[in-house]
Amino acid sequence: MPGIEYKGSCVCGQTTYTAHDLNDISYCHCDQCRKMTGHYMAAAQVSRDRIQIKGKIKWFYTHEGSRHGFCDNCGANMFWQNDNKATISVTAGSLEDSKSLKTWHHIFIEEKGCYYNINSNEPQSRGYGDSKID
Ligand SMILES: [Zn+2]
Ligand SMILES: [Zn+2]
């Protein structure tokens, strides 16, 4: 596959992926992502046909059509997917090397925790914000 290649893995090494042409990093401050991650979600979107995943994933639906994917063995939070979109998001922390990826935007900012602030120079949105790929 052409494009910049990214590799990712969980903590135990059972679940891995290879992806091409990731979007920059989205930070989701919604209640579900904050509970799922312990802080807020940092993830990069990719077209589903641009990623190959190996290993056993446990999926959990936080609400209809929206699910988080974890390594079935170590529990690392690695993926987020909306069933209605042709994309999947990989967590920034699961990347072996984030290469040239930068912050793209912060989403669902009205649900953010009150114990931290968002860098005011970075784009912010109340909902999903603009999507670069659908
Ligand atoms: Zn694992
Ligand atoms: Zn979220």
Side-chain angles (χ1 to χ4, degrees):
M1 274 190 209
I4 300 175
E5 182 179 280
Y6 296 87
K7 288 185 180 294
S9 63
C10 63
V11 178
C12 76
Q14 177 200 257
T15 305
T16 61
Y17 61 83
T18 302
H20 288 80
D21 299 327
L22 296 181
N23 269 354
D24 282 328
I25 309 292
S26 297
Y27 299 91
C28 185
H29 300 266
C30 82
D31 292 337
Q32 289 90 352
C33 285
R34 293 199 301 113
K35 286 186 183 291
M36 277 290 176
T37 63
H39 187 30
Y40 53 81
M41 181 80 158
Q45 240 181 1
V46 61
S47 294
R48 280 192 228 172
D49 59 4
R50 305 287 284 157
I51 184 168
Q52 283 154 342
I53 299 170
K54 286 185 189 148
K56 204 167 161 205
I57 302 164
K58 178 174 173 59
W59 290 98
F60 182 82
Y61 280 89
T62 52
H63 48 275
E64 198 182 331
S66 171
R67 52 186 167 140
H68 287 255
F70 305 84
C71 171
D72 184 55
N73 185 46
C74 70
N77 186 359
M78 300 181 72
F79 306 104
W80 177 79
Q81 189 169 302
N82 181 319
D83 289 344
N84 299 317
K85 293 194 173 177
T87 61
I88 185 167
S89 294
V90 302
T91 53
S94 68
L95 289 163
E96 307 292 357
D97 180 354
S98 57
K99 300 185 181 173
S100 58
L101 296 180
K102 296 179 181 69
T103 292
W104 171 17
H105 62 180
H106 295 264
I107 62 175
F108 292 95
I109 57 165
E110 287 180 329
E111 296 178 38
K112 85 169 189 65
C114 54
Y115 62 92
Y116 62 88
N117 295 309
I118 299 171
N119 184 334
S120 59
N121 298 324
E122 295 168 352
Q124 301 180 24
S125 172
R126 290 187 163 87
Y128 281 109
D130 300 329
S131 188
K132 289 183 181 174
I133 43 177
D134 283 314

